[in-house]
Amino acid sequence: MQTDLVKLLEEFPTISLKEMNSVRLMNRIDTKYLTDIETLKRIISSSYGEYMVQEVNGCILSDYVTCYFDTEDYDMYLQHQRGMNNRTKVRVRRYIDSDIMFLEVKRRNNKGRTDKRRIQISDPLRMNSEQISFLSDNISYNPYSLIPRLENRFRRITMVNMNKSERLTIDISITFHNISTQAKLDTGNLVVIELKRNGNTESPIKSILKELMVHPSGFSKYCIGASLTDPLLKQNRFKMKQHYIEKITTN
């Protein structure tokens, strides 16, 4: 299936990682969509002429590894579970193809905007003074209280529209490894699409998704991954999403 995707994407013009720096959108509005691989092929085919595809070291599909951190009592997870609009995520993300690693803080406010801040690091397991200072400046938690909770691996396609006003990330082959319970999960056919824009500007992909009946659907890799791999966590807010994901992954 990934071979078919790559063949479709090879028809698109490419954009380099360096060129993509002008479309970082660190403060933005995110809209997420869930679908399956077969529908994704139709989306990509319909997007030709509207988008460029990011290429890194000759690769269109990029490999990512993310480790999410939380407190002893899972306060960040529970922020989402309680439906709080102001939420925080702390993670270390490794970009395998470019061999770069960042410590990142993502904060979502009650206006639906996401603010992401990050610093480059070299060792994900050792917090040095720079990393502690970065966390102290950007989160309300004691940095020393954070524990690695969930590892997440996936492959990503990154696209940008022709006028470089929005980014589109498409994640496939998503797997979870719960560090606390040691449970592992492969989500199979699940595809997570995320549209990242500065505001409610016109977007070519929105009309394509609407035509294919792919509708916005909130999704947190950390919260969904944690809830699916730890039955002891409170998770009633995620039940409907879990059932929908199960439907996609079992087809």
Side-chain angles (χ1 to χ4, degrees), residues 150-152 174-178 183-185 187 219 221 225 229:
L150 185 80
E151 185 181 82
N152 163 229
I174 302 167
T175 63
F176 298 110
H177 171 216
N178 192 304
K184 296 181 179 181
L185 178 70
T187 63
F219 183 87
K221 287 192 184 75
T229 55

Side-chain angles (χ1 to χ4, degrees), residues 70-127:
D70 209 333
T71 60
E72 181 71 34
D73 58 356
Y74 284 92
D75 193 67
M76 294 183 211
Y77 173 89
L78 291 173
Q79 284 181 349
H80 204 139
Q81 159 63 30
R82 295 181 187 121
M84 296 175 64
N85 290 322
N86 292 292
R87 303 193 294 263
T88 302
K89 297 287 190 312
V90 177
R91 69 190 188 193
V92 168
R93 173 161 287 175
R94 183 181 176 194
Y95 299 77
I96 301 296
D97 301 296
S98 52
D99 196 26
I100 297 174
M101 201 167 359
F102 291 97
L103 172 63
E104 302 181 342
V105 172
K106 285 184 71 176
R107 295 180 300 190
R108 182 180 175 88
N109 66 25
N110 57 10
K111 294 181 173 60
R113 295 196 70 90
T114 298
D115 177 60
K116 185 171 81 171
R117 302 183 184 189
R118 66 185 188 179
I119 56 170
Q120 190 168 345
I121 63 173
S122 57
D123 186 349
L125 300 177
R126 180 177 173 272
M127 287 280 188

Side-chain angles (χ1 to χ4, degrees), residues 9 17 25 27 32 44 58 63 67 70 79 83 95 98 100 104 110 129 202 206 213 221 234 237:
L9 291 164
L17 185 60
L25 301 178
N27 187 294
K32 295 180 182 178
I44 289 174
D63 292 292
C67 181
D70 209 333
Q79 284 181 349
Y95 299 77
S98 52
I100 297 174
E104 302 181 342
N110 57 10
S129 57
E202 285 296 318
K206 287 192 74 175
M213 293 185 290
K221 287 192 184 75
K234 188 176 181 181
R237 189 177 183 86

Side-chain angles (χ1 to χ4, degrees), residues 137-180:
D137 290 342
N138 288 288
I139 62 175
S140 58
Y141 303 95
N142 181 342
Y144 294 101
S145 71
L146 301 183
I147 302 166
R149 288 298 192 185
L150 185 80
E151 185 181 82
N152 163 229
R153 295 173 179 261
F154 58 94
R155 307 199 80 191
R156 171 167 286 184
I157 301 158
T158 301
M159 306 175 78
V160 59
N161 63 341
M162 292 302 185
N163 62 9
K164 299 182 181 179
S165 62
E166 68 177 31
R167 287 177 61 193
L168 191 68
T169 60
I170 303 168
D171 296 342
I172 63 173
S173 302
I174 302 167
T175 63
F176 298 110
H177 171 216
N178 192 304
I179 297 167
S180 300

